[in-house]
Amino acid sequence: SQSVFWDIKLYDMVHYGHSNQLRQAKAMGDYLIVGVHTDAEISKHKGPPVFTQEERYKMVRAIKWVDKIVEGAPYVTTLETLDKYNCDFCVHGDDITLTVDGKDTYEEVKREGRYRECKRTQGVSTTDLVGRMLLMTKAHHSNMDNPDYQQHTDNFGKGPKGHSPWTGVSQFLQTSQKIIQFASGTEPQPGDTIIYVAGAFDLFHIGHVDFLEMVYKQAERPYVIVGLHFDQEVNRYKGKNYPIMNIHERTLSVLACRYVSEVVIGAPYAVGKDLLDHFKVDLVCHGKTEVFPDKDGSDPYAEPRKRGVFRTINSGNNLTTDDIVQRIIENRLQFEARNQKKEAKEMAVIEAMKRKEQQDQSEAAAQAAH
């Protein structure tokens, strides 16, 4: 059996792009160990992280393809690291990772043939998500005529020239294949307690993880179904530019969580008779956040309350998507400085690669002429 090591360079958020890479890494072996860095390590190489190491450890642990995490993994994955955790090889995305002094982080393991690569997820990057957050003007999805917002949606997939291909903004395209890859594919078994929760689960974060973990603990054999509201519905009760992630992105984010068995893509806002009967729901849970009334002013949880199957869960974590956005926006100036630096570094690498290619070609031509 093969053990795979993945070193995850997280400094701001864990998103479904990371989850997708972890899924691919797991598929290359049988056991996936993920190295997560301390705050100090990340600050040294990248600038201060938005989430504490404890939050990041918890987020990564919640991704269902992860078998084990190494807290405080060294920033550079060495052969020593691989041997220490009995890993056959390490896997990384196909983006460039450089240390502070501009060296390839994976030089040593590549030399020894203990390096594998997996594809980056088209259509999502932290830089892009941060860009979307910075558009938190009062523009609603419904009045798309706000010039900033228009500008933003138009920019999708059209990276301005001179942009590093790794940091440019692109559009995520949902496919049924991707959903199948992320889905658990398990049906509820006799004796399972079917628990239903509903919400936006936008920018899937540590607050969501704590809530879902608590929901999962409500039963001996839980089967947790998450109902996701369509974008327009979310915008109705959240306002501003919410949701930051569209329904397709939110679907994958939630499916990647180990506490979730199934997702309803575009759940009705009112948790009604039909839904409860269809899924044979035993328990409906909601967190401590405010329950917004439905369009007609009614309580969306009236039916589960009437049946006596409604439960309010206190996860002890009151972090909301708003808080996350605030945290990230406060960090925005550092981010922008960091991204400019990263882009300059990547462009320099690309230039160097091009030069080397041209040099190799002219040398080959010279050789051929002899």
Side-chain angles (χ1 to χ4, degrees):
S1 80
Q2 291 214 302
S3 284
V4 185
F5 185 85
W6 176 285
D7 134 55
I8 192 160
K9 303 264 185 269
L10 286 181
Y11 29 87
D12 19 42
M13 55 199 292
V14 185
H15 53 66
Y16 65 93
H18 299 125
S19 302
N20 191 36
Q21 289 190 319
L22 292 171
R23 179 188 65 77
Q24 292 178 63
K26 171 75 178 242
M28 294 181 190
D30 310 287
Y31 193 80
L32 177 62
I33 299 177
V34 180
V36 188
H37 312 301
T38 60
D39 294 345
E41 263 304 80
I42 288 177
S43 299
K44 194 168 85 187
H45 293 268
K46 289 283 189 185
V50 175
F51 296 103
T52 67
Q53 56 203 43
E54 293 311 321
E55 289 175 314
R56 287 179 294 111
Y57 296 155
K58 201 165 195 173
M59 274 308 285
V60 176
R61 271 201 187 94
I63 296 171
K64 65 181 173 188
W65 297 285
V66 176
D67 293 301
K68 180 186 169 180
I69 79 160
V70 173
E71 302 187 355
Y75 196 78
V76 176
T77 303
T78 58
L79 292 169
E80 194 188 347
T81 310
L82 294 186
D83 292 339
K84 183 175 173 184
Y85 299 106
N86 294 320
C87 288
D88 299 276
F89 54 88
C90 75
V91 182
H92 195 74
D94 54 5
D95 50 338
I96 295 179
T97 47
L98 306 172
T99 55
V100 178
D101 47 15
K103 274 176 61 178
D104 177 356
T105 325
Y106 295 97
E107 202 173 3
E108 189 192 16
V109 288
K110 280 179 181 171
R111 255 204 325 268
E112 292 296 318
R114 289 172 72 181
Y115 176 84
R116 306 269 193 290
E117 214 163 64
C118 73
K119 288 261 165 283
R120 265 200 64 228
T121 311
Q122 253 337 102
V124 64
S125 69
T126 303
T127 314
D128 166 35
L129 289 169
V130 171
R132 298 189 214 176
M133 286 176 224
L134 298 179
L135 286 168
M136 283 310 243
T137 56
K138 285 285 175 205
H140 283 249
H141 277 250
S142 47
N143 65 7
M144 291 292 203
D145 34 59
N146 174 298
D148 291 340
Y149 199 73
Q150 205 53 57
Q151 172 68 42
H152 173 62
T153 42
D154 290 350
N155 277 343
F156 265 136
K158 296 205 285 256
K161 292 285 166 278
H163 259 48
S164 153
W166 292 289
T167 343
V169 174
S170 52
Q171 175 86 68
F172 169 70
L173 301 169
Q174 181 74 292
T175 59
S176 54
Q177 184 56 27
K178 186 58 69 243
I179 294 178
I180 288 170
Q181 288 167 344
F182 271 61
S184 72
T186 57
E187 299 198 348
Q189 300 304 308
D192 284 359
T193 302
I194 297 170
I195 310 176
Y196 181 77
V197 301
F201 293 89
D202 192 14
L203 277 183
F204 196 73
H205 56 72
I206 189 75
H208 297 134
V209 167
D210 281 338
F211 168 68
L212 288 169
E213 183 183 11
M214 204 67 179
V215 166
Y216 187 83
K217 286 178 174 165
Q218 298 302 304
E220 200 61 38
R221 293 182 39 193
Y223 185 94
V224 178
I225 303 175
V226 175
L228 288 178
H229 301 138
F230 279 131
D231 299 346
Q232 227 169 344
E233 189 76 74
V234 174
N235 189 252
R236 179 182 69 84
Y237 61 83
K238 290 277 292 180
K240 294 188 192 163
N241 273 351
Y242 286 115
I244 288 170
M245 283 184 169
N246 68 34
I247 184 73
H248 302 308
E249 299 177 294
R250 292 183 287 119
T251 298
L252 296 186
S253 305
V254 172
L255 281 174
C257 178
R258 68 170 69 249
Y259 306 117
V260 176
S261 297
E262 183 60 293
V263 168
V264 180
I265 306 169
Y269 190 69
V271 182
K273 218 168 112 1
D274 292 349
L275 184 140
L276 295 175
D277 294 344
H278 177 81
F279 291 112
K280 304 184 172 54
V281 175
D282 298 303
L283 187 61
V284 176
C285 297
H286 186 85
K288 284 296 209 190
T289 56
E290 180 192 352
V291 176
F292 289 94
D294 203 348
K295 287 186 197 65
D296 60 3
S298 63
D299 170 15
Y301 293 113
E303 182 62 25
R305 284 189 217 268
K306 197 178 92 188
R307 295 187 182 195
V309 297
F310 183 78
R311 194 178 293 175
T312 304
I313 302 288
N314 184 4
S315 66
N317 185 339
N318 49 15
L319 206 58
T320 65
T321 300
D322 272 327
D323 301 328
I324 302 285
V325 171
Q326 277 327 111
R327 271 205 209 184
I328 288 175
I329 286 181
E330 277 162 29
N331 228 348
R332 142 188 204 177
L333 297 171
Q334 283 129 299
F335 271 133
E336 289 190 338
R338 187 197 82 211
N339 282 332
Q340 278 163 0
K341 222 159 78 180
K342 184 176 166 205
E343 198 151 278
K345 199 154 73 167
E346 286 173 357
M347 291 311 281
V349 170
I350 291 166
E351 284 308 311
M353 281 174 170
K354 273 194 201 141
R355 274 201 303 277
K356 186 171 177 351
E357 210 175 311
Q358 285 162 348
Q359 202 179 339
D360 291 350
Q361 280 168 349
S362 52
E363 276 172 21
Q367 220 105 51
H370 281 302

